[in-house]
Amino acid sequence: DVFRFFIPRTDVIYYRPLGMQFIFFLFQKLFYFIGIDPLPFRMATFLIHIVNGYLVYRILSFIHKNEKVGMFSAVLYISAAVHFTIFYWAATIAFAMAPFFYFGAFLFFLEKKNKLSLSFFILGLFTNELLITFPAIIFTWSLLQNKKQLKETLWFWVIFACYVGARFILFKPPTTGSYAVEYAPLQILLNFRDYVLWSFNFPEEIHNQFVNWFMLNPVFVKEFFPYIASFGLTLLGFFVLMVVGISHSLYAKDKIMYLKYGVFGVIWFVGTLAPVLFFSNHAFSYYLAIPLLGMFITLFAGLSELMKKNSRLAYGIISVFCLVWIIASYQSIRFNTFIHWAPRRALLSFETLQRLRWEVSQPNRGSALHVPGGDEYIWALSDQHGVQVFFNDPTLKTIYDK
């Protein structure tokens, strides 16, 4: 019953009927005809990701009134290492779909197509709970750029209130285990530090390598120095560009406008990231798929004017930064391929299911299959679901070694 997908569950904190249950339902029907094949799913994820890049191009071009800014931003967004997980772990397709609805809703709001914007917002809420920050973002934009649009945010707030009331009062989600809420200011700042570093293509592992607030494990730095150097160069390059852009914008005729753009970008980054900063035990780089756009808005706040006046120099500097960014992203993805849980579990899942197929071909209904592995295999095969889906038999049971 498809309708049941939209009833919030109280045993999980997320609510993604379109981003999980419904899309998996559609692919399950497709696999019924073509067999289990991850290629269509991966192609869909990749296509959504490319469309998201196009939306970044449209938004940045609109805000900064410069298509070159939009092009550079799209390249940076598409190539960012924070998107690594969505191509290995099917369950995170909701984090490819969420930016589509978020960016689409914001673009339509910019273009004053409010009905389309509201429609995308509502669909987005059924796709990924991170859309709850959207009313605050458009309210901030209207406050800074066009106060006449403030009244247009009313219906977004109404939908927001209904969503929050239903999700957190009628169907209260759990806040224990990996979703335990952390209120300690120091821990929240540490979480924010990690997300900032991940934004610059540092791998997720970096948060395990700090011996104090700012000092990394010397052994880790020594062993992986080429990687650390490329990540650090990206971070340094960003701040150099920021200084250049700010320095130039201070003498620009419309410096207040550029200042507002910069402030809005910071608010976007922090505001869209805020809901996940309180989860210390559930922090992942794919949560940056939406906040990343704010970083680019701020980056180009001052640079866009420089690009108009001294295009050759500006384009040269930004092109070098893009190259450094892509190299760092490649290094991060390469590093993750060896140590990240997503590719490791993807390989475990593939090898285990292929072995079971070779051993039993088609198991009898209600039979139990033994998997010689513990917790890592349970995660890789989603406990009972992996084998059941692979053999298209919900009566099968998987027994793991504990």
Side-chain angles (χ1 to χ4, degrees):
D1 188 354
V2 175
F3 176 74
R4 291 176 61 86
F5 295 163
F6 295 87
I7 300 176
R9 294 168 53 184
T10 57
D11 60 328
V12 292
I13 198 167
Y14 55 80
Y15 177 65
R16 304 165 193 164
L18 291 182
M20 292 187 74
Q21 291 96 321
F22 186 71
I23 191 139
F24 289 136
F25 171 78
L26 291 180
F27 275 97
Q28 184 182 40
K29 296 300 181 183
L30 175 64
F31 293 154
Y32 178 81
F33 295 102
I34 68 173
I36 297 292
D37 185 354
L39 183 60
F41 198 92
R42 291 179 178 175
M43 290 176 63
T45 303
F46 180 76
L47 179 60
I48 296 169
H49 183 57
I50 295 301
V51 172
N52 290 343
Y54 172 72
L55 292 173
V56 169
Y57 159 77
R58 290 284 305 277
I59 290 171
L60 270 291
S61 297
F62 185 99
I63 291 176
H64 294 298
K65 300 175 179 60
N66 188 327
E67 289 191 353
K68 295 293 194 303
V69 168
M71 290 175 61
F72 279 120
S73 299
V75 169
L76 293 172
Y77 183 84
I78 289 174
S79 61
V82 301
H83 306 297
F84 169 83
T85 308
I86 67 173
F87 294 103
Y88 274 98
W89 190 26
T92 56
I93 191 172
F95 291 91
M97 297 172 67
F100 170 74
F101 288 112
Y102 205 113
F103 298 164
F106 186 65
L107 179 63
F108 286 132
F109 187 80
L110 291 178
E111 296 175 341
K112 300 181 181 180
K113 299 176 181 178
N114 296 324
K115 291 183 179 179
L116 282 173
S117 180
L118 187 63
S119 298
F120 265 60
F121 172 57
I122 294 172
L123 290 173
L125 284 175
F126 287 115
T127 302
N128 194 308
E129 64 279 3
L130 296 183
L131 268 286
I132 62 173
T133 62
F134 186 74
I137 292 299
I138 58 174
F139 182 86
T140 303
W141 171 263
S142 302
L143 197 63
L144 291 173
Q145 300 294 334
N146 186 359
K147 290 184 174 60
K148 292 181 179 179
Q149 276 192 290
L150 282 173
K151 62 180 181 181
E152 305 297 340
T153 68
L154 177 61
W155 278 109
F156 293 89
W157 286 112
V158 171
I159 299 299
F160 166 84
C162 294
Y163 176 89
V164 171
R167 188 66 187 109
F168 295 98
I169 298 177
L170 297 180
F171 301 93
K172 192 173 182 179
T175 54
T176 58
S178 61
Y179 293 105
V181 178
E182 177 65 67
Y183 294 107
L186 180 59
Q187 186 57 55
I188 293 172
L189 288 174
L190 287 174
N191 294 343
F192 184 72
R193 176 204 63 190
D194 293 340
Y195 278 110
V196 169
L197 291 176
W198 293 341
S199 300
F200 293 100
N201 297 316
F202 281 76
E204 286 184 5
E205 174 61 21
I206 202 70
H207 80 105
N208 293 321
Q209 298 300 329
F210 278 95
V211 295
N212 59 39
W213 254 79
F214 298 107
M215 184 178 178
L216 287 170
N217 179 357
V219 177
F220 177 78
V221 174
K222 181 179 179 180
E223 292 292 328
F224 299 98
F225 182 76
Y227 294 93
I228 300 299
S230 65
F231 305 146
L233 196 58
T234 305
L235 186 60
L236 177 63
F238 179 87
F239 285 106
V240 168
L241 287 178
M242 284 289 295
V243 170
V244 171
I246 292 172
S247 300
H248 182 79
S249 63
L250 289 176
Y251 300 97
K253 181 180 179 181
D254 298 321
K255 60 184 178 182
I256 299 300
M257 179 184 69
Y258 296 123
L259 176 62
K260 288 182 177 181
Y261 288 157
V263 170
F264 176 71
V266 172
I267 292 174
W268 177 296
F269 182 85
V270 177
T272 56
L273 188 58
V276 299
L277 288 177
F278 298 91
F279 300 111
S280 300
N281 300 321
H282 197 81
F284 300 103
S285 59
Y286 54 74
Y287 283 119
L288 286 159
I290 293 172
L292 207 57
L293 185 139
M295 195 170 79
F296 301 143
I297 293 174
T298 297
L299 174 64
F300 287 102
L303 289 175
S304 59
E305 177 66 16
L306 180 61
M307 291 168 70
K308 295 175 184 177
K309 292 188 175 181
N310 197 340
S311 59
R312 182 174 297 181
L313 175 62
Y315 291 155
I317 295 173
I318 296 170
S319 296
V320 171
F321 174 72
C322 285
L323 179 61
V324 172
W325 174 281
I326 292 171
I327 292 172
S329 181
Y330 168 76
Q331 292 281 61
S332 183
I333 292 171
R334 187 166 176 264
F335 181 88
N336 283 334
T337 302
F338 294 114
I339 62 99
H340 197 274
W341 55 267
R344 183 176 68 248
R345 291 173 184 170
L347 182 61
L348 275 180
S349 176
F350 174 78
E351 291 178 343
T352 303
L353 292 173
Q354 290 302 316
R355 179 181 60 78
L356 289 174
R357 171 71 82 184
W358 180 78
E359 289 178 351
V360 297
S361 182
Q362 184 60 51
N364 296 324
R365 287 181 60 81
S367 59
L369 302 179
H370 174 244
V371 172
D375 290 342
E376 196 68 5
Y377 285 83
I378 294 175
W379 280 106
L381 295 174
S382 189
D383 199 355
Q384 302 298 312
H385 300 299
V387 169
Q388 292 173 352
V389 171
F390 185 72
F391 289 105
N392 194 27
D393 186 350
T395 68
L396 296 178
K397 184 178 181 180
T398 308
I399 300 175
Y400 298 90
D401 290 338
K402 298 296 183 181

